[in-house]
Structure formats: structure tokens, C-alpha cells
Amino acid sequence: MKKHQCWRICRLRSKYCMEAHGSARLLSRKRKREGSNGEAEEGERPGKIKRCTVALKDPAPFADQLESMENRPYQRVSMEEARKGTAPDRPVRVYADGIFDMFHSGHARALMQAKGLFPNTHLIVGVCSDELTHKFKGFTVMNEDERYDAVSHCRYVDEVVRNAPWTLTPEFLAKHRIDFVAHDDIPYSSAGSDDVYKHIKDAGMFAPTQRTEGISTSDIITRIVRDYDVYVRRNLQRGYTAKELNVSFINEKKYHLQERVDKVKKKVRDVEEKSKEFVQKVEEKSIDLIQKWEEKSREFIGNFLQMFGPEGALKHMLKEGKGRMLQAISPQQSPNSSPLRERSPSPTFRLPFFTKTSPPSSPPSQHSSGSRGYPFTARGQAISEDEDDDDDE
């Protein structure tokens, strides 16, 4: 029952991955054609990939956990048939092998290319054991069980072959019903052979892939060796002992001292950066204060001139006050008097002991116009009410 379930999982993985990566491959080829011909319109965006759930919950099964295929006839498909696409129940079985130590993106990209070689691909990945690897290539960082597990969790893998052979034999190819072998086309010399894939190429079963430049297990190990002191200090700080790291007592103390010195340097750099930031803030604030002071000073000078200048508001206030003071101390004229009209004559009266009684029949005689028609007294003077007032005083 378990073998049957594993086989169904493999078929589902092949189906989903084929649909998702087939569309991505078509878009990639389209972009390459447009880039090579130079016919793509400027600013044109590449097409979007249709959303689909291709991630699976279970890792790829191991070959020894699946049903045996020895009872099925081994009839390979040609390259033309594989490229055209095979029946859903007969996927093209592609085999890719390797060490896969410290599994990285270069490994994943190689398996992705192998998975995308044909429209309907079942990818089988062989992982060599520690014994063969140490014998023909060298010591590995990860042991074989860790490498098996890492490969089985790659999304492009449908089946994992543990303890894969270093050189592929016809018996191995027939056992796993392998149609094509995927690997980069650089000759791989090992085990006394100039190219371990030469007989596969001669049989027309080789499907080349491209290596990912700038990333490999050897490159990663080179980085670690180059920065050995940094990583030793890092692990010592994380709690690893000097014995676990194979570090001597003197080197351990040296690394601890370097760690302290680096901490002091970091603090000094932090203080310098903070001081620079503080000085910069002070300069910015001082510039703002100077600008504000200049604006306020201009405003103050303008207000001062507006108040105390030659034509300022204070001069006008003084003029208005002076006018009001003069108006207050000057005598007020009669409301009925007017400078253009003559003063009306005041009523006259005669003193009884100075006047002569004229006959009633004869009117008073008129004299010169200088008397303004006032009657003369006995002394020949006209007496008005004003004069009478002066006499009373």
C-alpha cells in the first residue's frame, strides 16, 4: 500500500511540475528569441506565470521504497519522441547524479534544467555514498544521509537513488528504466577515465545542462577557509568549545582578545558616528537660528522705521495731538456768528441825566454814518449796551 501511494505522489509531482515549469520555460525561450533578434518592443514587460500550487507536502521517495519496475519492458524513447511529449502514463525518465554536498542553488538549478528538458519528465536523482565519494573525489562536509535528505526535499526531484554508482552500467540503466542522463557537457575525468559519461554520449542518451557560474561546493568551502578566523570567533561566541572547533588554548585566548578589541573598535566607531550626527544637527540648528534671527531683525528694523521714521506713525500722532491741543485752548466762536456777516447793532439806551428830551413831534436827527445810527448823548457819544457793560464793570 505504501509503495502504491509513493508512486501516486511521484506522478502528481511530475504533473504539477510539468505544467508550472513548462509555461515558465516557454516564457524564457520567448524572451531569449526576442533578445537575440532585437525585435522586442522597448519597455515591453515579460508575461506573467499563471498562479498554481506546485509545492508538495512530502519529500521525494527513495527508489528502494517504490515498486520494482523489472517486470515492465524496458523500451527507451527517442529524443524526438521525448521532445514532442509522451503519454501521461509514460513520462520520460531522466537520470541525474552527483555528490550534492552542501546542497546549494547551483545544484537546484541543475536539477531544474533536468526536470525541464521534456514536457513530461520524471526526474531520478542518484546520490553517491560516502565510501565512493571519499575514494574518488575527497572528503565531504555532509554525510551521505544528510545529502540524501537534502536532495529529496528539492521540489524538482521525483525519485532519489541512494548509493548510486560512480559509473553508470547498462544493468543500472535497465533496472531504473532510464531514458536519458542529464549532466553538464564538460568532460568529467574520474576513476581512471577521461570522461565517465563518454559511453552515455555515444549511446545518444546524454542530455546536457548548464553549470551555474559563481556557486559550487568548492567555492563555499574556499570562502570558509579564507575567512577561517572570522568563523571560528563566530562559533566561539555562539557557545562552541575550543575542543569542538579543534582550536588550541593559545588560539582560543587570541580569538577572545580579538573579539574584545573588535567590540571596543565598534564602540569607538559608534561614538564617532553619533558625534558626527550631533555636530551635524547642531550645525543645522545654528543655521536655522541664524536665518530666523535675520528674518526677525529685518522685521524689527522695518517696524521701527514704520513707527519712528520721517514719515512714521509717531509723527502723524504728534501732529494730530498738537492740532487737538490748539483747538482745545483757542476761544470758541458763536455758532450764529460768521466772519462774512456784519455784526448786528446792539440795542441802545440813554442815561436819564445826560439826555435831552426832544419834542415828541420832531424825530431824532440823523448824523454821520460813522455813528451807525446810534443816538448821541449829551457829550456827543453813542452809548451802546457794550459800553454800559464796561461801565458796570
Side-chain angles (χ1 to χ4, degrees):
M1 184 66 181
K2 291 183 178 179
K3 292 183 179 181
H4 182 66
Q5 290 178 350
C6 292
W7 177 249
R8 292 185 63 187
I9 290 172
C10 291
R11 293 183 62 183
L12 289 172
R13 289 174 65 92
S14 301
K15 179 181 178 182
Y16 290 133
C17 293
M18 177 184 65
E19 293 177 355
H21 299 292
S23 59
R25 185 172 65 256
L26 291 175
L27 289 172
S28 177
R29 290 178 181 175
K30 182 178 179 182
R31 288 194 294 268
K32 288 181 180 178
R33 288 197 303 269
E34 292 176 350
S36 60
N37 298 331
E39 297 177 355
E41 297 181 0
E42 186 177 358
E44 182 180 358
R45 296 183 179 179
K48 301 293 184 180
I49 300 174
K50 184 179 179 181
R51 291 183 179 271
C52 59
T53 303
V54 296
L56 301 177
K57 299 179 181 179
D58 300 322
F62 297 108
D64 52 8
Q65 296 176 346
L66 300 175
E67 294 177 349
S68 177
M69 299 182 65
E70 294 179 356
N71 56 350
R72 297 183 183 182
Y74 178 42
Q75 184 178 0
R76 290 185 54 251
V77 296
S78 64
M79 184 68 72
E80 294 180 359
E81 292 175 347
R83 288 177 177 174
K84 288 180 181 179
T86 58
D89 58 344
R90 177 55 175 93
V92 180
R93 297 176 66 84
V94 178
Y95 177 81
D97 59 355
I99 310 301
F100 301 105
D101 189 21
M102 302 179 68
F103 192 87
H104 51 74
S105 62
H107 296 142
R109 288 178 177 275
L111 298 179
M112 180 184 68
Q113 293 179 55
K115 181 69 177 179
L117 286 173
F118 308 107
N120 185 13
T121 303
H122 180 84
L123 181 59
I124 307 168
V125 181
V127 183
C128 299
S129 63
D130 288 344
E131 182 181 358
L132 288 176
T133 305
H134 297 168
K135 179 180 179 180
F136 294 109
K137 190 169 184 178
F139 190 74
T140 58
V141 177
M142 300 169 64
N143 59 43
E144 59 184 21
D145 292 330
E146 293 170 341
R147 292 184 286 114
Y148 297 154
D149 188 63
V151 173
S152 67
H153 285 83
C154 180
R155 64 186 299 178
Y156 311 112
V157 180
D158 299 307
E159 184 180 339
V160 178
V161 177
R162 293 182 285 193
N163 193 14
W166 198 262
T167 303
L168 300 179
T169 62
E171 293 77 16
F172 180 82
L173 297 175
K175 178 182 178 181
H176 295 281
R177 302 299 189 264
I178 296 171
D179 295 315
F180 297 97
V181 177
H183 200 273
D184 61 84
D185 55 358
I186 300 174
Y188 193 83
S189 59
S190 181
S193 175
D194 294 336
D195 189 2
V196 295
Y197 297 103
K198 186 177 183 303
H199 64 290
I200 302 295
K201 295 177 181 178
D202 295 339
M205 298 176 62
F206 189 79
T209 59
Q210 300 295 325
R211 293 178 63 90
T212 302
E213 298 295 334
I215 182 67
S216 67
T217 303
S218 299
D219 291 338
I220 295 174
I221 294 175
T222 301
R223 298 177 199 174
I224 297 173
V225 173
R226 182 185 59 197
D227 300 327
Y228 171 79
D229 293 346
V230 175
Y231 292 111
V232 170
R233 288 163 52 188
R234 170 182 177 271
N235 284 4
L236 286 173
Q237 187 179 4
R238 293 194 173 189
Y240 289 88
T241 63
K243 186 177 180 180
E244 291 174 334
L245 298 173
N246 195 22
V247 175
S248 64
F249 177 80
I250 296 175
N251 287 335
E252 180 186 7
K253 299 303 178 185
K254 181 186 73 174
Y255 292 137
H256 283 304
L257 180 60
Q258 289 177 352
E259 188 69 26
R260 293 177 183 176
V261 172
D262 289 344
K263 288 182 179 180
V264 173
K265 289 181 179 179
K266 184 178 179 182
K267 289 182 179 179
V268 172
R269 287 195 298 268
D270 293 341
V271 171
E272 289 179 354
E273 291 178 358
K274 290 181 180 179
S275 61
K276 288 180 181 179
E277 292 178 358
F278 176 75
V279 171
Q280 186 176 1
K281 290 181 180 179
V282 170
E283 289 179 353
E284 292 176 356
K285 289 184 177 180
S286 62
I287 292 172
D288 293 339
L289 290 174
I290 291 173
Q291 292 178 351
K292 290 181 180 179
W293 182 81
E294 290 179 352
E295 293 175 359
K296 293 293 182 182
S297 61
R298 294 192 191 99
E299 184 179 356
F300 176 77
I301 293 171
N303 293 336
F304 182 84
L305 293 175
Q306 187 177 1
M307 177 63 71
F308 301 102
E311 300 296 331
L314 183 62
K315 184 175 181 181
H316 294 290
M317 291 172 62
L318 292 175
K319 285 182 178 180
E320 292 179 1
K322 183 178 179 182
R324 291 176 181 177
M325 291 177 63
L326 292 175
Q327 185 178 2
I329 61 177
S330 61
Q332 296 182 356
Q333 296 180 357
S334 174
N336 295 327
S337 63
S338 176
L340 299 178
R341 298 175 59 186
E342 292 183 356
R343 186 176 179 182
S344 60
S346 300
T348 58
F349 63 93
R350 296 171 182 174
L351 296 177
F353 49 86
F354 284 113
T355 61
K356 281 185 177 181
T357 305
S358 299
S361 60
S362 61
S365 62
Q366 299 293 329
H367 294 280
S368 65
S369 61
S371 63
R372 294 184 180 180
Y374 294 135
F376 282 94
T377 61
R379 296 180 180 178
Q381 295 179 351
I383 299 175
S384 66
E385 284 183 330
D386 295 337
E387 292 178 353
D388 188 35
D389 293 338
D390 293 338
D391 292 336
D392 294 337
E393 289 176 359

